[in-house]
Amino acid sequence: MRRWLVLILKSFLTLVIFSCLLLFGILADILPGKEWLKTRFNERLTKPWAVFEPPARPFSLQAEFAPIEGGVRICNRGSSAWKEVLVRITTHYDADYEWLAELKDIKPNACTDTLTSEFYSPDWKRIPAGHGLKVLKVEILASVSGTGYAEGVFE
């Protein structure tokens, strides 16, 4: 039993040392592959977690919006459930910046309250929006046998 344990430990250490030497060789430009590694890491680190892009001709979602304390109430007034719901808000704090939130499916004639703290920046950093921001505009993209779009503006 002890012999097997020693053999497994030696194999593991050999694998770790070999991997470290290989990685060092690639990063030191001794071996090819540095550009490929940089490209792969840059792709992963800079790719946004969500993209809010309404289609050219979306169909209109039957939606109703209402401001609530610290967020917004979103209601589905249609006869079909909304799936893959992505919500974008514009806040009073920075009217040029957008915040995104992914919501669970919203059933027909149902409402959901979403706080501003549930919204995040669209980039890879995914920075939270913060509490109590005043919402100026709400936009929704949802899948209902196609992509639908709705927007609401608050005064």
Side-chain angles (χ1 to χ4, degrees):
M1 178 73 169
R2 184 177 169 149
R3 223 171 169 196
W4 283 100
L5 187 60
V6 170
L7 183 62
I8 290 173
L9 185 60
K10 282 183 181 181
S11 300
F12 178 73
L13 286 175
T14 303
L15 182 64
V16 168
I17 290 170
F18 178 74
S19 299
C20 288
L21 288 174
L22 182 65
L23 187 60
F24 177 75
I26 290 172
L27 294 178
D29 273 339
I30 298 169
L31 299 172
K34 185 175 181 180
E35 289 304 314
W36 179 82
L37 266 178
K38 283 171 72 175
T39 303
R40 295 294 292 169
F41 276 108
N42 283 340
E43 253 178 42
R44 288 201 183 238
L45 290 178
T46 58
K47 183 178 177 183
W49 69 273
V51 177
F52 191 95
E53 229 175 83
R57 295 182 183 197
F59 66 86
S60 181
L61 293 173
Q62 294 176 352
E64 187 177 294
F65 307 102
I68 60 169
E69 185 67 34
V72 63
R73 175 171 289 142
I74 300 166
C75 299
N76 176 358
R77 296 301 181 211
S79 58
S80 300
W82 295 347
K83 298 185 184 297
E84 302 170 11
V85 181
L86 187 63
V87 181
R88 175 168 64 182
I89 60 170
T90 305
T91 62
H92 182 54
Y93 178 71
D94 187 358
D96 296 329
Y97 199 74
E98 64 183 30
W99 301 98
L100 300 178
E102 285 180 311
L103 302 182
K104 294 181 179 179
D105 297 351
I106 302 176
K107 296 178 181 173
N109 292 316
C111 296
T112 183
D113 291 346
T114 308
L115 300 175
T116 55
S117 59
E118 297 173 39
F119 287 84
Y120 298 92
S121 64
D123 56 7
W124 64 273
K125 297 174 193 172
R126 205 171 171 148
I127 299 169
H131 300 284
L133 296 174
K134 184 180 175 188
V135 178
L136 297 177
K137 183 178 178 182
V138 181
E139 297 171 271
I140 297 178
L141 282 179
S143 179
V144 187
S145 72
T147 303
Y149 173 81
E151 84 174 38
V153 179
F154 303 128
E155 294 298 322

PDB file of all heavy atoms in Angstrom, residues 72-107:
ATOM      1  N   VAL A  72     -37.133  48.954  -9.620  1.00  0.00           N
ATOM      2  CA  VAL A  72     -38.197  49.056 -10.607  1.00  0.00           C
ATOM      3  C   VAL A  72     -39.052  47.783 -10.570  1.00  0.00           C
ATOM      4  O   VAL A  72     -38.555  46.701 -10.290  1.00  0.00           O
ATOM      5  CB  VAL A  72     -37.603  49.286 -12.021  1.00  0.00           C
ATOM      6  CG1 VAL A  72     -36.755  48.113 -12.467  1.00  0.00           C
ATOM      7  CG2 VAL A  72     -38.660  49.592 -13.028  1.00  0.00           C
ATOM      8  N   ARG A  73     -40.344  47.953 -10.808  1.00  0.00           N
ATOM      9  CA  ARG A  73     -41.263  46.815 -10.929  1.00  0.00           C
ATOM     10  C   ARG A  73     -41.525  46.597 -12.414  1.00  0.00           C
ATOM     11  O   ARG A  73     -41.881  47.514 -13.141  1.00  0.00           O
ATOM     12  CB  ARG A  73     -42.575  47.088 -10.211  1.00  0.00           C
ATOM     13  CG  ARG A  73     -43.605  45.975 -10.406  1.00  0.00           C
ATOM     14  CD  ARG A  73     -44.816  46.149  -9.527  1.00  0.00           C
ATOM     15  NE  ARG A  73     -44.387  45.863  -8.160  1.00  0.00           N
ATOM     16  CZ  ARG A  73     -44.812  46.524  -7.082  1.00  0.00           C
ATOM     17  NH1 ARG A  73     -45.668  47.501  -7.207  1.00  0.00           N
ATOM     18  NH2 ARG A  73     -44.371  46.206  -5.880  1.00  0.00           N
ATOM     19  N   ILE A  74     -41.361  45.337 -12.835  1.00  0.00           N
ATOM     20  CA  ILE A  74     -41.558  44.966 -14.235  1.00  0.00           C
ATOM     21  C   ILE A  74     -42.696  43.956 -14.292  1.00  0.00           C
ATOM     22  O   ILE A  74     -42.654  42.930 -13.613  1.00  0.00           O
ATOM     23  CB  ILE A  74     -40.268  44.347 -14.814  1.00  0.00           C
ATOM     24  CG1 ILE A  74     -39.126  45.362 -14.718  1.00  0.00           C
ATOM     25  CG2 ILE A  74     -40.474  43.897 -16.247  1.00  0.00           C
ATOM     26  CD1 ILE A  74     -37.763  44.762 -14.936  1.00  0.00           C
ATOM     27  N   CYS A  75     -43.705  44.250 -15.110  1.00  0.00           N
ATOM     28  CA  CYS A  75     -44.868  43.372 -15.216  1.00  0.00           C
ATOM     29  C   CYS A  75     -45.045  42.867 -16.643  1.00  0.00           C
ATOM     30  O   CYS A  75     -44.938  43.640 -17.601  1.00  0.00           O
ATOM     31  CB  CYS A  75     -46.138  44.106 -14.783  1.00  0.00           C
ATOM     32  SG  CYS A  75     -46.102  44.657 -13.073  1.00  0.00           S
ATOM     33  N   ASN A  76     -45.323  41.600 -16.770  1.00  0.00           N
ATOM     34  CA  ASN A  76     -45.629  40.977 -18.055  1.00  0.00           C
ATOM     35  C   ASN A  76     -47.142  40.995 -18.210  1.00  0.00           C
ATOM     36  O   ASN A  76     -47.852  40.278 -17.519  1.00  0.00           O
ATOM     37  CB  ASN A  76     -45.093  39.537 -18.072  1.00  0.00           C
ATOM     38  CG  ASN A  76     -45.456  38.793 -19.344  1.00  0.00           C
ATOM     39  OD1 ASN A  76     -46.132  39.313 -20.223  1.00  0.00           O
ATOM     40  ND2 ASN A  76     -45.002  37.563 -19.429  1.00  0.00           N
ATOM     41  N   ARG A  77     -47.641  41.804 -19.118  1.00  0.00           N
ATOM     42  CA  ARG A  77     -49.084  41.908 -19.351  1.00  0.00           C
ATOM     43  C   ARG A  77     -49.519  41.107 -20.572  1.00  0.00           C
ATOM     44  O   ARG A  77     -50.652  41.216 -21.022  1.00  0.00           O
ATOM     45  CB  ARG A  77     -49.491  43.372 -19.515  1.00  0.00           C
ATOM     46  CG  ARG A  77     -49.270  44.198 -18.272  1.00  0.00           C
ATOM     47  CD  ARG A  77     -50.051  43.643 -17.107  1.00  0.00           C
ATOM     48  NE  ARG A  77     -49.857  44.454 -15.912  1.00  0.00           N
ATOM     49  CZ  ARG A  77     -49.883  43.973 -14.696  1.00  0.00           C
ATOM     50  NH1 ARG A  77     -50.077  42.687 -14.501  1.00  0.00           N
ATOM     51  NH2 ARG A  77     -49.705  44.758 -13.668  1.00  0.00           N
ATOM     52  N   GLY A  78     -48.637  40.298 -21.106  1.00  0.00           N
ATOM     53  CA  GLY A  78     -48.964  39.478 -22.266  1.00  0.00           C
ATOM     54  C   GLY A  78     -49.531  38.126 -21.855  1.00  0.00           C
ATOM     55  O   GLY A  78     -49.711  37.826 -20.677  1.00  0.00           O
ATOM     56  N   SER A  79     -49.805  37.284 -22.857  1.00  0.00           N
ATOM     57  CA  SER A  79     -50.388  35.970 -22.597  1.00  0.00           C
ATOM     58  C   SER A  79     -49.352  34.845 -22.634  1.00  0.00           C
ATOM     59  O   SER A  79     -49.691  33.687 -22.429  1.00  0.00           O
ATOM     60  CB  SER A  79     -51.493  35.678 -23.624  1.00  0.00           C
ATOM     61  OG  SER A  79     -50.947  35.733 -24.931  1.00  0.00           O
ATOM     62  N   SER A  80     -48.088  35.188 -22.881  1.00  0.00           N
ATOM     63  CA  SER A  80     -47.014  34.195 -22.919  1.00  0.00           C
ATOM     64  C   SER A  80     -45.935  34.553 -21.912  1.00  0.00           C
ATOM     65  O   SER A  80     -45.678  35.728 -21.644  1.00  0.00           O
ATOM     66  CB  SER A  80     -46.379  34.143 -24.310  1.00  0.00           C
ATOM     67  OG  SER A  80     -47.326  33.790 -25.282  1.00  0.00           O
ATOM     68  N   ALA A  81     -45.284  33.529 -21.388  1.00  0.00           N
ATOM     69  CA  ALA A  81     -44.194  33.751 -20.433  1.00  0.00           C
ATOM     70  C   ALA A  81     -42.973  34.318 -21.150  1.00  0.00           C
ATOM     71  O   ALA A  81     -42.716  33.995 -22.303  1.00  0.00           O
ATOM     72  CB  ALA A  81     -43.841  32.445 -19.740  1.00  0.00           C
ATOM     73  N   TRP A  82     -42.240  35.159 -20.438  1.00  0.00           N
ATOM     74  CA  TRP A  82     -40.986  35.689 -20.960  1.00  0.00           C
ATOM     75  C   TRP A  82     -39.859  34.810 -20.460  1.00  0.00           C
ATOM     76  O   TRP A  82     -39.772  34.509 -19.281  1.00  0.00           O
ATOM     77  CB  TRP A  82     -40.741  37.109 -20.469  1.00  0.00           C
ATOM     78  CG  TRP A  82     -41.710  38.131 -20.941  1.00  0.00           C
ATOM     79  CD1 TRP A  82     -42.632  38.023 -21.933  1.00  0.00           C
ATOM     80  CD2 TRP A  82     -41.867  39.452 -20.415  1.00  0.00           C
ATOM     81  NE1 TRP A  82     -43.340  39.181 -22.072  1.00  0.00           N
ATOM     82  CE2 TRP A  82     -42.888  40.083 -21.141  1.00  0.00           C
ATOM     83  CE3 TRP A  82     -41.250  40.159 -19.415  1.00  0.00           C
ATOM     84  CZ2 TRP A  82     -43.294  41.382 -20.895  1.00  0.00           C
ATOM     85  CZ3 TRP A  82     -41.645  41.448 -19.157  1.00  0.00           C
ATOM     86  CH2 TRP A  82     -42.656  42.057 -19.900  1.00  0.00           C
ATOM     87  N   LYS A  83     -38.990  34.412 -21.366  1.00  0.00           N
ATOM     88  CA  LYS A  83     -37.835  33.606 -21.001  1.00  0.00           C
ATOM     89  C   LYS A  83     -36.572  34.377 -21.372  1.00  0.00           C
ATOM     90  O   LYS A  83     -36.614  35.278 -22.200  1.00  0.00           O
ATOM     91  CB  LYS A  83     -37.861  32.264 -21.718  1.00  0.00           C
ATOM     92  CG  LYS A  83     -39.070  31.426 -21.356  1.00  0.00           C
ATOM     93  CD  LYS A  83     -38.995  30.056 -21.994  1.00  0.00           C
ATOM     94  CE  LYS A  83     -40.233  29.251 -21.729  1.00  0.00           C
ATOM     95  NZ  LYS A  83     -40.498  28.942 -20.360  1.00  0.00           N
ATOM     96  N   GLU A  84     -35.455  34.016 -20.751  1.00  0.00           N
ATOM     97  CA  GLU A  84     -34.166  34.665 -21.021  1.00  0.00           C
ATOM     98  C   GLU A  84     -34.305  36.191 -20.960  1.00  0.00           C
ATOM     99  O   GLU A  84     -33.971  36.904 -21.901  1.00  0.00           O
ATOM    100  CB  GLU A  84     -33.610  34.231 -22.370  1.00  0.00           C
ATOM    101  CG  GLU A  84     -33.412  32.739 -22.490  1.00  0.00           C
ATOM    102  CD  GLU A  84     -33.094  32.291 -23.906  1.00  0.00           C
ATOM    103  OE1 GLU A  84     -32.829  33.153 -24.769  1.00  0.00           O
ATOM    104  OE2 GLU A  84     -33.131  31.090 -24.138  1.00  0.00           O
ATOM    105  N   VAL A  85     -34.796  36.680 -19.862  1.00  0.00           N
ATOM    106  CA  VAL A  85     -35.090  38.104 -19.694  1.00  0.00           C
ATOM    107  C   VAL A  85     -33.809  38.864 -19.329  1.00  0.00           C
ATOM    108  O   VAL A  85     -33.137  38.534 -18.356  1.00  0.00           O
ATOM    109  CB  VAL A  85     -36.152  38.318 -18.606  1.00  0.00           C
ATOM    110  CG1 VAL A  85     -36.483  39.795 -18.450  1.00  0.00           C
ATOM    111  CG2 VAL A  85     -37.400  37.516 -18.919  1.00  0.00           C
ATOM    112  N   LEU A  86     -33.488  39.857 -20.139  1.00  0.00           N
ATOM    113  CA  LEU A  86     -32.350  40.734 -19.882  1.00  0.00           C
ATOM    114  C   LEU A  86     -32.892  42.157 -19.777  1.00  0.00           C
ATOM    115  O   LEU A  86     -33.602  42.624 -20.662  1.00  0.00           O
ATOM    116  CB  LEU A  86     -31.323  40.624 -21.020  1.00  0.00           C
ATOM    117  CG  LEU A  86     -30.003  41.350 -20.823  1.00  0.00           C
ATOM    118  CD1 LEU A  86     -29.233  40.784 -19.626  1.00  0.00           C
ATOM    119  CD2 LEU A  86     -29.146  41.240 -22.071  1.00  0.00           C
ATOM    120  N   VAL A  87     -32.572  42.810 -18.676  1.00  0.00           N
ATOM    121  CA  VAL A  87     -33.091  44.148 -18.408  1.00  0.00           C
ATOM    122  C   VAL A  87     -31.931  45.138 -18.360  1.00  0.00           C
ATOM    123  O   VAL A  87     -30.896  44.861 -17.755  1.00  0.00           O
ATOM    124  CB  VAL A  87     -33.847  44.194 -17.063  1.00  0.00           C
ATOM    125  CG1 VAL A  87     -34.401  45.586 -16.799  1.00  0.00           C
ATOM    126  CG2 VAL A  87     -34.945  43.167 -17.030  1.00  0.00           C
ATOM    127  N   ARG A  88     -32.127  46.283 -19.010  1.00  0.00           N
ATOM    128  CA  ARG A  88     -31.130  47.352 -18.983  1.00  0.00           C
ATOM    129  C   ARG A  88     -31.784  48.579 -18.378  1.00  0.00           C
ATOM    130  O   ARG A  88     -32.894  48.958 -18.751  1.00  0.00           O
ATOM    131  CB  ARG A  88     -30.636  47.657 -20.392  1.00  0.00           C
ATOM    132  CG  ARG A  88     -29.693  48.845 -20.452  1.00  0.00           C
ATOM    133  CD  ARG A  88     -28.983  48.991 -21.769  1.00  0.00           C
ATOM    134  NE  ARG A  88     -29.896  49.259 -22.877  1.00  0.00           N
ATOM    135  CZ  ARG A  88     -29.480  49.380 -24.141  1.00  0.00           C
ATOM    136  NH1 ARG A  88     -28.217  49.235 -24.449  1.00  0.00           N
ATOM    137  NH2 ARG A  88     -30.359  49.630 -25.093  1.00  0.00           N
ATOM    138  N   ILE A  89     -31.076  49.196 -17.431  1.00  0.00           N
ATOM    139  CA  ILE A  89     -31.578  50.438 -16.844  1.00  0.00           C
ATOM    140  C   ILE A  89     -30.555  51.546 -17.057  1.00  0.00           C
ATOM    141  O   ILE A  89     -29.363  51.309 -17.159  1.00  0.00           O
ATOM    142  CB  ILE A  89     -31.890  50.312 -15.330  1.00  0.00           C
ATOM    143  CG1 ILE A  89     -30.641  49.927 -14.532  1.00  0.00           C
ATOM    144  CG2 ILE A  89     -33.032  49.359 -15.088  1.00  0.00           C
ATOM    145  CD1 ILE A  89     -30.821  50.026 -13.027  1.00  0.00           C
ATOM    146  N   THR A  90     -31.090  52.744 -17.137  1.00  0.00           N
ATOM    147  CA  THR A  90     -30.282  53.955 -17.127  1.00  0.00           C
ATOM    148  C   THR A  90     -30.667  54.680 -15.851  1.00  0.00           C
ATOM    149  O   THR A  90     -31.858  54.828 -15.556  1.00  0.00           O
ATOM    150  CB  THR A  90     -30.585  54.831 -18.358  1.00  0.00           C
ATOM    151  OG1 THR A  90     -30.405  54.039 -19.539  1.00  0.00           O
ATOM    152  CG2 THR A  90     -29.676  56.038 -18.411  1.00  0.00           C
ATOM    153  N   THR A  91     -29.677  55.124 -15.095  1.00  0.00           N
ATOM    154  CA  THR A  91     -29.961  55.735 -13.803  1.00  0.00           C
ATOM    155  C   THR A  91     -29.674  57.234 -13.823  1.00  0.00           C
ATOM    156  O   THR A  91     -29.000  57.741 -14.716  1.00  0.00           O
ATOM    157  CB  THR A  91     -29.123  55.080 -12.688  1.00  0.00           C
ATOM    158  OG1 THR A  91     -27.740  55.288 -12.964  1.00  0.00           O
ATOM    159  CG2 THR A  91     -29.420  53.597 -12.581  1.00  0.00           C
ATOM    160  N   HIS A  92     -30.183  57.901 -12.819  1.00  0.00           N
ATOM    161  CA  HIS A  92     -29.982  59.334 -12.662  1.00  0.00           C
ATOM    162  C   HIS A  92     -28.516  59.649 -12.387  1.00  0.00           C
ATOM    163  O   HIS A  92     -28.023  60.707 -12.743  1.00  0.00           O
ATOM    164  CB  HIS A  92     -30.863  59.843 -11.525  1.00  0.00           C
ATOM    165  CG  HIS A  92     -30.783  61.316 -11.300  1.00  0.00           C
ATOM    166  ND1 HIS A  92     -31.003  62.223 -12.303  1.00  0.00           N
ATOM    167  CD2 HIS A  92     -30.482  62.045 -10.200  1.00  0.00           C
ATOM    168  CE1 HIS A  92     -30.861  63.443 -11.829  1.00  0.00           C
ATOM    169  NE2 HIS A  92     -30.540  63.365 -10.552  1.00  0.00           N
ATOM    170  N   TYR A  93     -27.803  58.718 -11.772  1.00  0.00           N
ATOM    171  CA  TYR A  93     -26.405  58.934 -11.402  1.00  0.00           C
ATOM    172  C   TYR A  93     -25.522  59.159 -12.621  1.00  0.00           C
ATOM    173  O   TYR A  93     -24.686  60.039 -12.634  1.00  0.00           O
ATOM    174  CB  TYR A  93     -25.899  57.736 -10.590  1.00  0.00           C
ATOM    175  CG  TYR A  93     -24.450  57.837 -10.211  1.00  0.00           C
ATOM    176  CD1 TYR A  93     -24.027  58.755  -9.252  1.00  0.00           C
ATOM    177  CD2 TYR A  93     -23.495  57.027 -10.812  1.00  0.00           C
ATOM    178  CE1 TYR A  93     -22.696  58.854  -8.905  1.00  0.00           C
ATOM    179  CE2 TYR A  93     -22.160  57.122 -10.461  1.00  0.00           C
ATOM    180  CZ  TYR A  93     -21.772  58.034  -9.506  1.00  0.00           C
ATOM    181  OH  TYR A  93     -20.453  58.125  -9.176  1.00  0.00           O
ATOM    182  N   ASP A  94     -25.702  58.323 -13.653  1.00  0.00           N
ATOM    183  CA  ASP A  94     -24.886  58.442 -14.867  1.00  0.00           C
ATOM    184  C   ASP A  94     -25.765  58.063 -16.049  1.00  0.00           C
ATOM    185  O   ASP A  94     -25.924  56.890 -16.361  1.00  0.00           O
ATOM    186  CB  ASP A  94     -23.667  57.536 -14.781  1.00  0.00           C
ATOM    187  CG  ASP A  94     -22.695  57.748 -15.930  1.00  0.00           C
ATOM    188  OD1 ASP A  94     -22.994  58.567 -16.813  1.00  0.00           O
ATOM    189  OD2 ASP A  94     -21.648  57.100 -15.942  1.00  0.00           O
ATOM    190  N   ALA A  95     -26.330  59.054 -16.708  1.00  0.00           N
ATOM    191  CA  ALA A  95     -27.300  58.800 -17.779  1.00  0.00           C
ATOM    192  C   ALA A  95     -26.670  58.152 -19.006  1.00  0.00           C
ATOM    193  O   ALA A  95     -27.367  57.601 -19.843  1.00  0.00           O
ATOM    194  CB  ALA A  95     -27.990  60.095 -18.170  1.00  0.00           C
ATOM    195  N   ASP A  96     -25.348  58.207 -19.134  1.00  0.00           N
ATOM    196  CA  ASP A  96     -24.674  57.606 -20.290  1.00  0.00           C
ATOM    197  C   ASP A  96     -24.246  56.168 -20.038  1.00  0.00           C
ATOM    198  O   ASP A  96     -23.722  55.514 -20.929  1.00  0.00           O
ATOM    199  CB  ASP A  96     -23.428  58.426 -20.666  1.00  0.00           C
ATOM    200  CG  ASP A  96     -23.801  59.819 -21.126  1.00  0.00           C
ATOM    201  OD1 ASP A  96     -24.897  59.965 -21.707  1.00  0.00           O
ATOM    202  OD2 ASP A  96     -23.008  60.745 -20.909  1.00  0.00           O
ATOM    203  N   TYR A  97     -24.439  55.685 -18.830  1.00  0.00           N
ATOM    204  CA  TYR A  97     -23.980  54.341 -18.489  1.00  0.00           C
ATOM    205  C   TYR A  97     -25.162  53.405 -18.318  1.00  0.00           C
ATOM    206  O   TYR A  97     -26.210  53.803 -17.832  1.00  0.00           O
ATOM    207  CB  TYR A  97     -23.140  54.380 -17.205  1.00  0.00           C
ATOM    208  CG  TYR A  97     -22.278  53.168 -17.056  1.00  0.00           C
ATOM    209  CD1 TYR A  97     -21.142  53.001 -17.834  1.00  0.00           C
ATOM    210  CD2 TYR A  97     -22.613  52.170 -16.157  1.00  0.00           C
ATOM    211  CE1 TYR A  97     -20.352  51.885 -17.715  1.00  0.00           C
ATOM    212  CE2 TYR A  97     -21.828  51.046 -16.029  1.00  0.00           C
ATOM    213  CZ  TYR A  97     -20.697  50.908 -16.805  1.00  0.00           C
ATOM    214  OH  TYR A  97     -19.919  49.788 -16.688  1.00  0.00           O
ATOM    215  N   GLU A  98     -24.974  52.167 -18.706  1.00  0.00           N
ATOM    216  CA  GLU A  98     -26.057  51.189 -18.588  1.00  0.00           C
ATOM    217  C   GLU A  98     -25.708  50.137 -17.545  1.00  0.00           C
ATOM    218  O   GLU A  98     -24.550  49.842 -17.294  1.00  0.00           O
ATOM    219  CB  GLU A  98     -26.304  50.508 -19.932  1.00  0.00           C
ATOM    220  CG  GLU A  98     -25.143  49.685 -20.429  1.00  0.00           C
ATOM    221  CD  GLU A  98     -25.381  49.077 -21.796  1.00  0.00           C
ATOM    222  OE1 GLU A  98     -26.110  49.676 -22.587  1.00  0.00           O
ATOM    223  OE2 GLU A  98     -24.827  48.010 -22.059  1.00  0.00           O
ATOM    224  N   TRP A  99     -26.742  49.591 -16.954  1.00  0.00           N
ATOM    225  CA  TRP A  99     -26.619  48.499 -15.993  1.00  0.00           C
ATOM    226  C   TRP A  99     -27.521  47.371 -16.471  1.00  0.00           C
ATOM    227  O   TRP A  99     -28.632  47.621 -16.931  1.00  0.00           O
ATOM    228  CB  TRP A  99     -27.049  48.957 -14.606  1.00  0.00           C
ATOM    229  CG  TRP A  99     -26.257  50.116 -14.081  1.00  0.00           C
ATOM    230  CD1 TRP A  99     -26.613  51.428 -14.104  1.00  0.00           C
ATOM    231  CD2 TRP A  99     -24.969  50.063 -13.479  1.00  0.00           C
ATOM    232  NE1 TRP A  99     -25.621  52.192 -13.549  1.00  0.00           N
ATOM    233  CE2 TRP A  99     -24.603  51.372 -13.148  1.00  0.00           C
ATOM    234  CE3 TRP A  99     -24.084  49.027 -13.174  1.00  0.00           C
ATOM    235  CZ2 TRP A  99     -23.394  51.684 -12.536  1.00  0.00           C
ATOM    236  CZ3 TRP A  99     -22.888  49.338 -12.561  1.00  0.00           C
ATOM    237  CH2 TRP A  99     -22.554  50.658 -12.248  1.00  0.00           C
ATOM    238  N   LEU A 100     -27.059  46.148 -16.364  1.00  0.00           N
ATOM    239  CA  LEU A 100     -27.815  44.989 -16.856  1.00  0.00           C
ATOM    240  C   LEU A 100     -28.131  44.014 -15.731  1.00  0.00           C
ATOM    241  O   LEU A 100     -27.359  43.878 -14.782  1.00  0.00           O
ATOM    242  CB  LEU A 100     -27.020  44.246 -17.937  1.00  0.00           C
ATOM    243  CG  LEU A 100     -26.639  45.033 -19.185  1.00  0.00           C
ATOM    244  CD1 LEU A 100     -25.814  44.159 -20.121  1.00  0.00           C
ATOM    245  CD2 LEU A 100     -27.866  45.535 -19.899  1.00  0.00           C
ATOM    246  N   ALA A 101     -29.254  43.321 -15.895  1.00  0.00           N
ATOM    247  CA  ALA A 101     -29.642  42.257 -14.963  1.00  0.00           C
ATOM    248  C   ALA A 101     -30.307  41.139 -15.747  1.00  0.00           C
ATOM    249  O   ALA A 101     -31.074  41.395 -16.682  1.00  0.00           O
ATOM    250  CB  ALA A 101     -30.592  42.785 -13.901  1.00  0.00           C
ATOM    251  N   GLU A 102     -30.001  39.919 -15.372  1.00  0.00           N
ATOM    252  CA  GLU A 102     -30.684  38.751 -15.928  1.00  0.00           C
ATOM    253  C   GLU A 102     -31.758  38.350 -14.928  1.00  0.00           C
ATOM    254  O   GLU A 102     -31.474  38.209 -13.743  1.00  0.00           O
ATOM    255  CB  GLU A 102     -29.711  37.579 -16.105  1.00  0.00           C
ATOM    256  CG  GLU A 102     -28.774  37.728 -17.261  1.00  0.00           C
ATOM    257  CD  GLU A 102     -27.838  36.544 -17.386  1.00  0.00           C
ATOM    258  OE1 GLU A 102     -27.229  36.163 -16.375  1.00  0.00           O
ATOM    259  OE2 GLU A 102     -27.721  36.015 -18.506  1.00  0.00           O
ATOM    260  N   LEU A 103     -32.964  38.193 -15.418  1.00  0.00           N
ATOM    261  CA  LEU A 103     -34.070  37.804 -14.542  1.00  0.00           C
ATOM    262  C   LEU A 103     -34.539  36.407 -14.877  1.00  0.00           C
ATOM    263  O   LEU A 103     -34.348  35.922 -15.995  1.00  0.00           O
ATOM    264  CB  LEU A 103     -35.242  38.779 -14.700  1.00  0.00           C
ATOM    265  CG  LEU A 103     -34.976  40.256 -14.413  1.00  0.00           C
ATOM    266  CD1 LEU A 103     -36.255  41.054 -14.586  1.00  0.00           C
ATOM    267  CD2 LEU A 103     -34.421  40.440 -13.014  1.00  0.00           C
ATOM    268  N   LYS A 104     -35.183  35.794 -13.893  1.00  0.00           N
ATOM    269  CA  LYS A 104     -35.810  34.502 -14.145  1.00  0.00           C
ATOM    270  C   LYS A 104     -37.004  34.719 -15.053  1.00  0.00           C
ATOM    271  O   LYS A 104     -37.433  35.851 -15.288  1.00  0.00           O
ATOM    272  CB  LYS A 104     -36.266  33.873 -12.825  1.00  0.00           C
ATOM    273  CG  LYS A 104     -35.115  33.513 -11.919  1.00  0.00           C
ATOM    274  CD  LYS A 104     -35.620  32.887 -10.655  1.00  0.00           C
ATOM    275  CE  LYS A 104     -34.442  32.518  -9.762  1.00  0.00           C
ATOM    276  NZ  LYS A 104     -34.851  31.940  -8.510  1.00  0.00           N
ATOM    277  N   ASP A 105     -37.563  33.643 -15.554  1.00  0.00           N
ATOM    278  CA  ASP A 105     -38.738  33.743 -16.418  1.00  0.00           C
ATOM    279  C   ASP A 105     -39.851  34.506 -15.698  1.00  0.00           C
ATOM    280  O   ASP A 105     -40.040  34.362 -14.492  1.00  0.00           O
ATOM    281  CB  ASP A 105     -39.243  32.345 -16.786  1.00  0.00           C
ATOM    282  CG  ASP A 105     -38.206  31.552 -17.585  1.00  0.00           C
ATOM    283  OD1 ASP A 105     -37.197  32.144 -17.993  1.00  0.00           O
ATOM    284  OD2 ASP A 105     -38.427  30.359 -17.780  1.00  0.00           O
ATOM    285  N   ILE A 106     -40.576  35.307 -16.464  1.00  0.00           N
ATOM    286  CA  ILE A 106     -41.701  36.056 -15.907  1.00  0.00           C
ATOM    287  C   ILE A 106     -42.970  35.507 -16.545  1.00  0.00           C
ATOM    288  O   ILE A 106     -43.134  35.560 -17.767  1.00  0.00           O
ATOM    289  CB  ILE A 106     -41.566  37.572 -16.160  1.00  0.00           C
ATOM    290  CG1 ILE A 106     -40.248  38.086 -15.557  1.00  0.00           C
ATOM    291  CG2 ILE A 106     -42.753  38.318 -15.568  1.00  0.00           C
ATOM    292  CD1 ILE A 106     -39.986  39.551 -15.827  1.00  0.00           C
ATOM    293  N   LYS A 107     -43.846  34.980 -15.731  1.00  0.00           N
ATOM    294  CA  LYS A 107     -45.086  34.370 -16.209  1.00  0.00           C
ATOM    295  C   LYS A 107     -46.059  35.441 -16.685  1.00  0.00           C
ATOM    296  O   LYS A 107     -45.940  36.610 -16.330  1.00  0.00           O
ATOM    297  CB  LYS A 107     -45.713  33.540 -15.089  1.00  0.00           C
ATOM    298  CG  LYS A 107     -44.848  32.377 -14.681  1.00  0.00           C
ATOM    299  CD  LYS A 107     -45.466  31.607 -13.545  1.00  0.00           C
ATOM    300  CE  LYS A 107     -44.531  30.465 -13.157  1.00  0.00           C
ATOM    301  NZ  LYS A 107     -44.954  29.761 -11.991  1.00  0.00           N
TER     302      LYS A 107
END
